Amino acid sequence: MIGNWSVAHFRARFGGAVGRSAPGSSAPVTYGLIILCCLVFVLGPAAGLNPAYGSGEGLIAAQRAYFHRWGVVPAELFEGAPRAVLTPATALFVHGSWVHLLGNMLFLYVFGAMTEERMGRVQFTLFYLGCGYLALLGYAAANDDSTQSLVGASGAISAVLGAFLFLFPGARVTSLLPFLLFLPLRFPAWVVLPFWAALQWVAAGRAAQGPGVAYLAHLVGFGLGFGYAWARFGRPTRVKAAPAPAPEGENQP
């Protein structure tokens, strides 16, 4: 769950100006993912707004069944069931609570648009889905005997953060730090995002198996995103120099 971070980022700027265009104008995939995740949540049982799922204990039972069906259950994933193989993809669009949803969508909104503009729509879509799938798969492989359902877009969004760090290391990120009385401060991405990754590493080492935040999925996604951006955009473009024109006095008749 990305919303459970010690550092909250609200706005990214590059070179003193807003680093992306108006919402929806040049990053339709990012905003489409946000809308889709919100719709799935509102229509599902976790939001508590759909009367079709009932209330009270009936609603709780519906939520458990819903998460089990669409989320990743590591113990079932490696049994080879065809349906379970798809769950690392479907789980990316399912969230467990309002806080879970809003936290993830906030970070996708802040960091996704600039990353999408740099990669392009098709490449960003494949990147998001592929890294998200592999991040959840990595967590499941490390907890292959767990029967707890894992849901959320945290792994995919962590990949976006990793790519953002490589593509825009100097982007200024407005952050709220709890130990500084939540004063809004601006730091470059190369300071904020590695600090966040270090927090995930520490938390992953302390996390016990069971319900909670899948910190390992965050780390896997972050590493995949950074690695992909480095492999795809890290090589300098070689431009073949055109021969200089001859001086006017050397032109042949």
Side-chain angles (χ1 to χ4, degrees):
M1 173 180 171
I2 284 190
N4 189 20
W5 289 1
S6 298
V7 182
H9 319 283
F10 286 88
R11 194 168 48 175
R13 292 177 178 268
F14 184 68
V18 176
R20 57 176 179 267
S21 305
S25 61
S26 57
V29 175
T30 296
Y31 301 111
L33 288 169
I34 293 174
I35 293 172
L36 179 58
C37 287
C38 290
L39 285 176
V40 170
F41 180 77
V42 170
L43 295 176
L49 301 177
N50 191 338
Y53 293 102
S55 60
E57 295 184 0
L59 177 60
I60 295 176
Q63 291 174 348
R64 292 175 179 172
Y66 184 81
F67 295 147
H68 186 271
R69 179 178 182 182
W70 301 109
V72 179
V73 181
E76 296 180 2
L77 178 62
F78 293 102
E79 291 178 356
R83 184 196 65 81
V85 175
L86 298 176
T87 55
T90 59
L92 295 176
F93 303 95
V94 179
H95 291 83
S97 67
W98 284 100
V99 174
H100 189 195
L101 172 74
L102 296 177
N104 278 356
M105 295 305 101
L106 171 63
F107 283 87
L108 180 56
Y109 172 79
V110 171
F111 296 100
M114 288 176 65
T115 306
E116 179 184 347
E117 290 177 12
R118 180 67 179 88
M119 290 185 177
R121 299 174 184 177
V122 175
Q123 184 177 174
F124 178 78
T125 302
L126 297 176
F127 162 81
Y128 182 90
L129 296 176
C131 289
Y133 186 101
L134 292 176
L136 296 183
L137 186 65
Y139 175 88
N143 301 275
D144 58 354
D145 59 344
S146 174
T147 58
Q148 298 293 335
S149 300
L150 175 65
V151 297
S154 301
I157 299 173
S158 296
V160 173
L161 298 188
F164 187 96
L165 173 61
F166 182 85
L167 297 173
F168 308 104
R172 308 293 293 186
V173 180
T174 302
S175 308
L176 297 180
L177 303 179
F179 52 84
L180 292 180
L181 302 178
F182 293 98
L183 295 176
L185 301 174
R186 296 180 65 200
F187 300 98
W190 65 266
V191 172
V192 174
L193 295 180
F195 176 69
W196 167 82
L199 292 178
Q200 305 308 295
W201 179 272
V202 172
R206 297 177 178 178
Q209 183 178 353
V213 180
Y215 295 106
L216 181 59
H218 296 177
L219 289 171
V220 174
F222 188 83
L224 288 172
F226 187 90
Y228 176 84
W230 175 81
R232 177 65 179 82
F233 301 98
R235 301 173 183 176
T237 302
R238 295 184 178 181
V239 180
K240 186 177 181 180
E248 186 175 344
E250 297 181 6
N251 289 335
Q252 298 298 324

